[in-house]
Amino acid sequence: MAADVTSSSSALRRFFDGDVWYSFRTSPVAMVAATVAVLVFVCAMAAEWVAPHNPFDLATLELLDSLKPPAWVAGGEVKYLLGTDGQGRDILSALMYGARISLLVGVASVLLSILIGVSLGLLAGFVGGRTDAFIMRVCDVMLSFPSILVALMISGVGRSLFPHAPDALAFVVLVLAIALTGWVQYARTVRGSTLVERNKEYVQAARVIGVPSLRIMRRHVLPNVLGPVLVLATIQIASAIITEATLSFLGVGVPATSPSLGTLIRNGNDYLFSGEWWITAWPSLTLILITLSVNLLGDWLRDALNPRLR
């Protein structure tokens, strides 16, 4: 137990003394982006305690409070800081709950894409031959279709096969729809790195002493190809959130009972030209803020892990 604590403390000490942490604390853009991302994540995950209202509890909704403008606009109320929608739901609270769904779907789909893409890319690059050719041709086929079109098709087929599916199954279908369009980039990236690593001395030495190929891939090659994957995953989270918002805006995303940012934007779009601009403006700005902060973090991480820029 004491050895584990000592090992953890030494690892943390090496991290805070390393180049990545120095690059982070000397980059104002990265620090601001990380602050925004953490703030949004905390508010989304702790929406039950942070949000001033529960926008999805029908017993607490007041239709007389519908379409109220933000608090600083004439007719607004302080208890509804960003205004209300057509059902009397507090926009600020709806943003917190909606951001949680968007973040969960985005992160889950990226993790699944990493699992599929890294496994296939590692296999293609290390084994080579017909296996490599087959996996790469599948990647070429997937890249020939627009990702949003594939996601629409998968989501539509899933909804037609399970028309009365519970909300949990609808989330699974949405995550699969996004993940099956995003694994290709991980596979191609890992394959390229694996082709370089498999010819290095440590891999050849492991083969000579009889280490199984699966163990070589898992214990030796995989840790050395994860750097680009981390950078790509950070950027892909923003893309996955945008894809989820697009699908929800088109009506094939998350269920209406658990609306995400895309659903909130779609609902507000009906009121956009009648003067209630805040219903669609705040979810749109929140989506932009999330994707911008994540993209900025991804750009910083790409530069921080690039040894040529140190």
Side-chain angles (χ1 to χ4, degrees):
M1 186 66 178
D4 294 338
V5 174
T6 303
S7 176
S8 300
S9 61
S10 61
L12 287 174
R13 192 179 305 110
R14 288 195 302 270
F15 172 76
F16 287 115
D17 291 338
D19 295 334
V20 175
W21 177 251
Y22 174 79
S23 174
F24 175 76
R25 61 188 177 89
T26 55
S27 173
V29 174
M31 295 185 67
V32 172
T35 302
V36 172
V38 170
L39 181 62
V40 171
F41 181 82
V42 170
C43 290
M45 294 300 108
E48 288 89 350
W49 300 278
V50 178
H53 306 276
N54 185 352
F56 307 122
D57 185 3
L58 298 180
T60 62
L61 298 183
E62 292 288 345
L63 292 179
L64 295 178
D65 292 334
S66 62
L67 301 180
K68 285 190 175 295
W72 59 88
V73 179
E77 297 183 9
V78 177
K79 66 176 181 178
Y80 301 124
L81 185 62
L82 299 182
T84 61
D85 62 6
Q87 302 178 19
R89 296 183 299 187
D90 178 47
I91 297 295
L92 178 59
S93 302
L95 290 179
M96 295 182 185
Y97 282 86
R100 175 169 58 182
I101 296 174
S102 297
L103 288 172
L104 288 176
V105 172
V107 172
S109 60
V110 167
L111 290 177
L112 184 58
S113 297
I114 291 174
L115 179 63
I116 298 173
V118 170
S119 300
L120 293 179
L122 195 63
L123 181 65
F126 193 84
V127 176
R130 294 183 177 179
T131 303
D132 181 23
F134 175 76
I135 294 176
M136 288 301 102
R137 296 299 77 75
V138 174
C139 291
D140 293 338
V141 172
M142 293 296 296
L143 287 175
S144 64
F145 295 97
S147 59
I148 189 65
L149 181 61
V150 177
L152 277 171
M153 181 185 67
I154 297 173
S155 181
V157 170
R159 285 177 174 271
S160 62
L161 293 177
F162 307 101
H164 304 293
D167 291 352
L169 185 58
F171 279 108
V172 172
V173 171
L174 182 59
V175 170
L176 285 174
I178 299 175
L180 292 179
T181 62
W183 66 269
V184 177
Q185 298 186 40
Y186 298 99
R188 294 169 69 92
T189 301
V190 172
R191 172 188 176 268
S193 300
T194 304
L195 288 175
V196 176
E197 295 295 327
R198 73 175 184 177
N199 295 319
K200 291 187 176 179
E201 290 79 3
Y202 71 94
V203 175
Q204 301 298 329
R207 283 175 168 171
V208 168
I209 63 177
V211 179
S213 297
L214 183 61
R215 186 175 182 182
I216 295 176
M217 287 189 290
R218 187 181 72 252
R219 297 289 299 273
H220 301 287
V221 179
L222 180 59
N224 291 311
V225 301
L226 285 181
V229 172
L230 294 177
V231 177
L232 184 59
T234 305
I235 298 175
Q236 284 295 313
I237 288 177
S239 300
I241 292 175
I242 292 177
T243 303
E244 181 277 324
T246 303
L247 293 174
S248 297
F249 183 84
L250 295 175
V252 294
V254 297
T257 55
S258 303
S260 66
L261 292 177
T263 310
L264 295 175
I265 295 173
R266 184 190 64 186
N267 294 337
N269 191 56
D270 299 333
Y271 299 93
L272 184 60
F273 296 104
S274 61
E276 289 80 13
W277 53 268
W278 57 88
I279 302 178
T280 189
W282 298 127
S284 302
L285 290 175
T286 303
L287 181 63
I288 293 173
L289 191 64
I290 293 174
T291 54
L292 180 60
S293 61
V294 173
N295 279 328
L296 290 176
L297 280 176
D299 291 341
W300 162 79
L301 188 61
R302 178 194 59 200
D303 296 339
L305 295 180
N306 189 348
R308 297 180 180 179
L309 299 178
R310 294 178 184 175

